[in-house]
Amino acid sequence: MSSPKILIVDDDPDLRQALKLRLRANHYDTVHAVDGYSAIALAYKEHPNLIILDLGLPAGNGFVVLDRLQADDKLSSIPVIVLTARDAQSSEQRALEAGAAAFFQKPADNAELLSVIRATLPKATATALPS
Amino acid sequence: MNDPSTHVLMIEDNPGDADLVRLRLVESKAPVDVSCVDRLADGLAFLAMQPPAVVLLDLNLPDSQGAETFRKVLEKAPDVPIIILSGQDDEGLAVRALHQGVQDYLVKGTFTSAGLDRAMRYAVERQALLRSLEMSRKQQLEFKNQFLSHVSHELRTPLTCIHQFVTILLDGLAGEVSAEQRDHLATILKSVNQLGAMVRDLLEASRVEAGKIRVEPHCVSIGDLIRLAVAMTRAAAHQKQVGLEIGVDTRIPFVHGDPDRILEVLINLIDNSIKFTPSGGAVTVQACLAPTDPDFVYVSVADTGCGIDPKAKALIFERLYQDPNSIDNSRKGLGLGLFITKELVTLHGGRIWVASEPGHGSTFSFTLPLYSLGKLLFPVISKDGALREAIVLVKVNLKARSNPPRGNWKEAGRRSLELLQRCVYLDKDVVLPPMTTSRPEQTFLVVASTDLTRAEIMMSRIRGQLEKLPDLKASCELEVSACAVPLPDLAAGPSLEEQVQEVASRVTEMARSALGMERNSTQENEEPAGDPA
C-alpha cells in the first residue's frame, strides 16, 4: 500500500504549501482544495484517507463540508481534522458535533498535529481499503 | 402627558388617597388612564400582564411595607418608571429608593396637579434615557468583543503562516541550516509564540469581561493538576535554568473546580514566576491545607526572583497592569495574564493574593474550595429541618464502544452532563461533579430525593435525553440504573447535620463501588465522591 493520502482544505495558499511540506516530509501524500465545493469534489475523486479542514472557506464553509461528508455513505468514514484560526470556544464543540475527529486552533503544534493524524489514520486506512 | 393613552398603574390601599391622586390627574387635564389596585401582589400581577407607562406606588400596603415594596416592583418591572407617593417625608428612604432605580419620591398632600403631571412626564423621560444609555453601553461592549474576536482571528492566519515556515526551516525540511541561522530562526519562533500567546490573552480577557467564561466544576485532584502544569512548563524553566519544584501534601482531598481552568491558572502563575526569576533561581509550587480554613486548599507558586514593589502589589491583578521594572523590559506583554488568573480563581469562589519583598522573590497564593459531598447534599436532601423520606442514587454509565473512544470523548461527557442537569429538579436532586477520567467509560451519579418507583420517571427522561445526542448513541453504550440509599436510624436522635453526613458517607461508599474503585484506596485523597469527614 502506498503512503496514506491526506486532503488539505485551506483557502490560504501559503498555509496549504506549509502543510504540504510538513506532511510530505512525514511521508504522507497530499492533495489540495481551496474551497468547500472543490473539497467535496476532491473527496469523491481522490478518496483520501484523511481530511484536514479549515472552517473559514469560500464556496461552502467548513461546517457545510462536514455536513456533506457526513451525509454521504461513501465519504462519511473519512476522518476529518479541523484546523482553523477560529476560536475554539465558539467552534470546537460545533465542529465535533458535526463529525470532526479532532479540532486544532492555528497555529497548531506540529508534533501534536502529526500524532493526532497518526492516531486517526489506521482506522481510516482500514475502512478505505476495498474489501 | 402628551400621549392620549398614557396608562398609569396606581398601587394604593387607601381609597381616600387614591381618589385624591385621581382628582389631581383630572385637574392637570393630562389624558391619562388610571388603573388602581390596593395590594402589592395584585400590582405585580398587573405589571406582568400589561406594563403601564408609569407606576404610582404607595409604600405601606397590606401585603408589603417600606423599602421592600419598591424593591419588589423594581425587580418585577425594571423598565417601568416608578414614582413613590408616600405618607412619610423620609429623606433617607427617598434617597435609597432613587439609588435603587426609583424615579421620584413625592410626599402625599404636598404636590399640585401640575407638579404630579410634570413628575410623571420627567420620570418617563429619564427612564427612557436610562434605557437607551444601557442599550448603547451593551452595544459598545458587544462591539468591542466582536472586534477583538475578529482581530485575533485575522491575526492568527499570518501568525500561523510564519510559525509554519519557521518550523519547516528549523526542522531542516527545506535544506540544511547553519548553527547561526538556527539561532536566528529560534528567535523568530520565540517571538511568534509570544505574539500567539498575546492574541490568546486578548480574546480570553474580553471573554472574562463579558462574563462569557464558564466554570464547570469537577471533582479533581489538585496534586495531579500541579504535576501536569509543572510538566508543561518544565521546558521553559529548563531553558532559563530555573529550578522547578513541587511540594504537595498527599492528604489533600479533592477540589471542587474546573480542571482546565485551574490548569490555566497554574500555568499562568508558573510562567510568570519563571519570567521574573533569574537563572540559577527556583520556582516552587505547593499545595497544603490550612487548619484555620478547612473548606479550602491553599496553592502557592513561590519564586526567588526580583520581587514586587509594595506599591505595585495592589495593582498587579488589575487589567492592563505592566511591571515597569520587568527584567525583559522591552517585552512587557499585554498585562492581562494576572487579570485573567484572578478572574478564574474568583469564579471558583477562591481568593488570590501575593506576598513579596523586593529582591527576595514573590509568592503568589490562591485558594480553591474543597469538594464536600455533605455540603453539596445538605440543601437537596433535607427539607424543613428534616431528612427527605427517600433518597436514591442514580447511576448513568457511558461505555465507549471502541478503545480509545472515537471523536471527542471529553466533549461527549461534557454534553451528557449538561443534559443530565436538565433532567433533574434543582431543589431536590443533584448531579454529582464527575471525576475527570481518561478511561473509555464515564459514570455520572445523581442523588435524587425520591423513591425507586418515581426514580423510574427520571431515568426514562435521562435515557430519552441522552439518546437524542448525535453520535453518542453510535459511540457508546448507555446504562442507567438506580438504587436506594439506606437512611440513617433516627432512634439515636442524630442532628440533621449528622444525618446528612451519614447519608453522604453512604453515598460515597456506593459511588466508590459504582465507579469500580477499591474500597481501600491507596491514598486518602483518591476518594471518588468526596470527603465524608
Side-chain angles (χ1 to χ4, degrees), chain B residues 18 48 65 74 81 120 122 150 170 206-207 285 333 340 344 391 412 416 470 478 480 523 532:
Chain B
Q65 306 288 314
L74 280 165
M120 280 168 47
Y122 292 177
H150 190 81
L170 261 175
S206 78
R207 225 181 261 127
V285 189
I340 295 168
L344 291 179
I391 297 166
S416 313
L478 173 67
V480 186
Q523 270 183 312

Side-chain angles (χ1 to χ4, degrees), chain A residues 12 14-15 17-19 21-22 25 85-87 89 92-93 96-97 99 101 105-108 110 123, chain B residues 153 156-157 160-161 163-165 167-168 171 173 203-204 207 212 261 406-408 411 414-415 471:
Chain A
D12 188 299
D14 297 333
L15 289 182
Q17 174 69 7
L19 210 50
L21 284 171
R22 177 66 60 185
R86 287 199 195 176
D87 187 28
Q89 205 136 11
E92 180 168 13
Q93 187 174 334
L96 297 173
E97 273 169 26
Q105 190 177 54
K106 293 174 181 174
N110 289 314
K123 276 175 270 166
Chain B
H153 174 256
R156 255 187 217 133
T157 302
T160 304
C161 199
H163 180 265
Q164 283 297 323
F165 281 99
T167 52
I168 281 169
D171 293 350
L173 302 186
L203 247 189
E204 187 85 346
R207 225 181 261 127
K212 279 190 183 156
R261 297 303 183 187
R406 249 193 92 113
N408 191 333
E411 183 59 24
R414 215 186 60 73
R415 297 259 301 152
D471 287 353

Side-chain angles (χ1 to χ4, degrees), chain B residues 320-473:
Chain B
L320 302 183
Y321 177 79
Q322 294 172 315
D323 183 3
N325 306 314
S326 168
I327 300 180
D328 198 354
N329 211 10
S330 58
R331 302 275 173 92
K332 286 178 182 165
L334 294 175
L336 292 172
L338 284 176
F339 167 71
I340 295 168
T341 304
K342 184 190 83 185
E343 293 296 315
L344 291 179
V345 170
T346 313
L347 275 174
H348 277 88
R351 295 181 295 124
I352 186 164
W353 67 97
V354 63
S356 176
E357 224 180 287
H360 294 279
S362 315
T363 302
F364 283 87
S365 305
F366 64 96
T367 62
L368 289 171
L370 289 174
Y371 178 58
S372 153
L373 186 62
K375 219 176 263 169
L376 199 66
L377 290 184
F378 195 92
V380 175
I381 63 169
S382 69
K383 198 190 175 204
D384 302 332
L387 214 55
R388 302 261 192 180
E389 278 160 29
I391 297 166
V392 163
L393 182 68
V394 177
K395 176 182 162 190
V396 179
N397 202 46
L398 296 176
K399 198 172 173 187
R401 289 184 205 273
S402 61
N403 192 7
R406 249 193 92 113
N408 191 333
W409 183 234
K410 202 170 153 189
E411 183 59 24
R414 215 186 60 73
R415 297 259 301 152
S416 313
L417 190 65
E418 211 173 272
L419 278 183
L420 262 186
Q421 302 280 16
R422 279 189 234 152
C423 294
V424 306
Y425 294 109
L426 291 177
D427 58 330
K428 57 192 195 103
D429 309 324
V430 61
V431 181
L432 299 184
M435 296 285 300
T436 41
T437 172
S438 52
R439 290 184 305 160
E441 195 171 328
Q442 290 192 31
T443 306
F444 301 107
L445 297 166
V446 183
V447 175
S449 301
T450 183
D451 56 28
L452 280 176
T453 328
R454 271 173 289 182
E456 282 296 334
I457 303 171
M458 179 196 284
M459 287 160 67
S460 66
R461 199 159 53 218
I462 291 173
R463 277 191 209 99
Q465 285 286 330
L466 288 185
E467 276 171 5
K468 271 192 226 152
L469 271 187
D471 287 353
L472 195 71
K473 213 175 161 186

Side-chain angles (χ1 to χ4, degrees), chain A residues 23-90:
Chain A
L23 292 175
R24 295 219 164 155
N26 284 275
H27 313 292
Y28 294 112
D29 222 358
T30 60
V31 283
H32 316 100
V34 300
D35 58 39
Y37 178 80
S38 52
I40 303 284
L42 264 177
Y44 268 115
K45 193 173 145 228
E46 298 279 346
H47 255 282
N49 302 108
L50 186 135
I51 299 174
I52 295 182
L53 179 69
D54 187 15
L55 289 180
L57 291 170
N61 71 27
F63 291 114
V64 174
V65 174
L66 277 168
D67 283 346
R68 291 285 300 276
L69 291 172
Q70 285 293 310
D72 193 303
D73 287 344
K74 288 201 196 77
L75 305 178
S76 63
S77 62
I78 305 174
V80 180
I81 294 177
V82 166
L83 177 62
T84 178
R86 287 199 195 176
D87 187 28
Q89 205 136 11
S90 60

